[in-house]
Amino acid sequence: NGKLRRSTDQGASWQLVGSGLGSISSIAKHGSRLLVTGDKVYRSDNNGASWTTSNDGIIATYITKLHRLGTRT
């Protein structure tokens, strides 16, 4: 539960890049930034090497989708 894996060789092999992320419902990527949603929003700025929660101001108990708006990074 809550494990995220990444492939850099079109799926021939996979590396664990997130563990303990809770229930995952959506993933968004922009450059080296990853956002994962589910029971919380988790953010990585280094392609999944480390994760922090990014829940400030969110009152929902389960987030199912992410949408990117505008061009701000």
Side-chain angles (χ1 to χ4, degrees), residues 36-57:
V36 172
T37 66
D39 353 3
K40 295 180 181 179
V41 177
Y42 294 93
R43 173 180 158 177
S44 172
D45 292 321
N46 51 16
N47 285 314
S50 61
W51 295 87
T52 58
T53 55
S54 293
N55 293 321
D56 291 347

Side-chain angles (χ1 to χ4, degrees), residues 6-58:
R6 175 183 66 200
S7 175
T8 56
D9 56 11
Q10 282 104 26
S13 63
W14 295 86
Q15 299 82 36
L16 184 65
V17 293
S19 182
L21 299 177
S23 177
I24 297 172
S25 63
S26 68
I27 302 166
K29 182 170 179 9
H30 180 69
S32 61
R33 178 173 293 162
L34 292 165
L35 293 170
V36 172
T37 66
D39 353 3
K40 295 180 181 179
V41 177
Y42 294 93
R43 173 180 158 177
S44 172
D45 292 321
N46 51 16
N47 285 314
S50 61
W51 295 87
T52 58
T53 55
S54 293
N55 293 321
D56 291 347
I58 298 175

